[in-house]
């Protein structure tokens, strides 16, 4: 290749750090600073607090409920994943019983940046594709892990619960959102009983494309009465045309 160092084509195709060169025994200054910036963004995403008030305001035309897990603070949440999977004492009393076809949970998870950037657009685009289904109040859950959706869905009589949650940030994307879908939610459900859409962010699966897939999965889950490894995602794949693509598990 003329005009570049032979790595340019690969660098254009991925956000991974490939062919970044060296300066003596270390990284070039520009690459070192970029790495440090990415690491700082990942730390901020993990330790940051989601502005749930702003999310509630953005969803002002929908009923919204706030709940918290059994983890009393962020430090405990990070050390004790088990507490993030359980509702705090008395929290279930705030949840209205359905039945509902679908309950959506927006959970902070491990990336406040992901939730603030992508959760509302993904939620709104998904609900727009679910005409004819009964949608429960939107639940905003703090210090939450994925499995907290099982307790929420069970308390609300949801046929399906969909958890939009901040994914563990990496050094190429600190704002990646995940969507986890579980049929007949109840405490004790295994991860193999869920479907997951991951890498929802500007350089992966866009919120609009994720919504198309999630709505398809929700309707199939309700039709077949299952999610997880038995529900194979066969919707048209808009991610193939998205830079970076996305990943579908289950």
């Amino acid at each position: 290749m003329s005009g570049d160092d032979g790595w340019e084509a690969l660098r254009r195709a991925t956000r991974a750090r490939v062919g970044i060169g060296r300066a003596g025994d270390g990284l070039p200054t520009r690459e070192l600073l970029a790495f440090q910036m990415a690491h700082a963004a990942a730390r901020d995403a993990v330790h940051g607090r989601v502005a749930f008030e702003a999310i509630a305001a953005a969803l002002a035309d929908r009923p919204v409920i706030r709940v918290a897990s059994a983890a009393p603070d962020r430090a405990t949440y990070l050390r004790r994943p088990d507490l993030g999977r359980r509702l705090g004492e008395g929290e279930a009393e705030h949840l209205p019983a359905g039945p509902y076809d679908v309950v959506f949970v927006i959970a902070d998870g491990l990336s406040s940046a992901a939730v603030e950037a992508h959760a509302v657009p993904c939620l709104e685009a998904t609900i727009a594709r679910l005409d004819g289904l009964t949608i429960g109040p939107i639940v905003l859950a703090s210090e939450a892990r994925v499995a907290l959706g099982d307790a929420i869905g069970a308390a609300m009589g949801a046929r399906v619960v969909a958890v939009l949650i901040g994914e563990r940030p990496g050094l190429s994307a600190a704002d990646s959102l995940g969507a986890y879908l579980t049929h007949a939610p109840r405490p004790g459900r295994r991860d193999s009983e869920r479907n997951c859409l991951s890498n929802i962010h500007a350089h992966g699966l866009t919120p609009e494309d994720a919504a198309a897939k999630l709505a398809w999965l929700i309707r199939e889950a309700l039709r077949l009465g299952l999610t997880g490894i038995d529900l194979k995602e066969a919707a048209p794949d808009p991610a193939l045309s998205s830079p970076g693509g996305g990943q579908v598990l289950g």
Side-chain angles (χ1 to χ4, degrees):
M1 300 180 185
S2 60
D4 64 45
D5 58 7
W7 291 96
E8 186 60 30
L10 284 176
R11 284 195 289 264
R12 286 196 301 267
T14 178
R15 290 172 59 80
R17 289 173 170 81
V18 295
I20 58 177
R22 65 181 183 181
D25 293 332
L27 295 172
T29 300
R30 182 177 62 182
E31 297 297 339
L32 176 60
L33 293 175
F35 180 91
Q36 291 173 334
M37 179 65 77
H39 186 261
R43 287 179 60 87
D44 287 348
V46 168
H47 293 283
R49 308 287 297 186
V50 173
F52 278 119
E53 294 80 6
I55 290 177
L59 298 170
D61 58 338
R62 303 186 185 279
V64 173
I65 300 169
R66 290 284 305 271
V67 299
S69 77
D73 52 53
R74 194 66 178 171
T76 305
Y77 168 82
L78 294 173
R79 293 195 307 267
R80 292 282 306 274
D82 58 310
L83 296 180
R85 301 183 183 112
R86 307 200 310 261
L87 281 168
E89 185 176 354
E91 293 294 304
E93 299 171 5
H94 305 309
L95 299 171
Y100 303 106
D101 290 323
V102 189
V103 166
F104 287 92
V105 179
I106 296 179
D108 48 7
L110 291 171
S111 175
S112 57
V115 176
E116 293 177 350
H118 311 304
V120 171
C122 186
L123 172 72
E124 295 285 15
T126 303
I127 291 178
R129 291 170 166 83
L130 297 178
D131 288 345
L133 299 184
T134 304
I135 310 296
I138 310 302
V139 180
L140 307 182
S142 57
E143 313 302 359
R145 301 280 176 171
V146 171
L148 190 68
D150 297 338
I152 292 170
M156 296 180 69
R159 296 174 65 194
V160 164
V161 66
V163 179
L164 305 180
I165 190 168
E167 295 184 307
R168 180 178 289 105
L171 295 176
S172 60
D175 64 339
S176 182
L177 188 76
Y180 291 80
L181 186 68
T182 309
H183 179 266
R186 62 178 184 272
R189 281 293 197 190
R190 300 183 300 274
D191 287 341
S192 60
E193 296 174 296
R194 315 183 200 284
N195 288 79
C196 170
L197 297 175
S198 68
N199 294 326
I200 303 170
H201 56 87
H203 301 283
L205 190 62
T206 68
E208 187 72 20
D209 289 346
K213 287 178 168 290
L214 184 56
W216 186 94
L217 284 167
I218 288 170
R219 291 191 181 277
E220 285 297 286
L222 293 172
R223 182 178 70 86
L224 298 173
L226 52 82
T227 47
I229 59 175
D230 293 321
L231 176 57
K232 301 302 182 184
E233 199 277 322
D237 193 354
L240 292 177
S241 61
S242 300
Q247 183 179 8
V248 180
L249 304 179

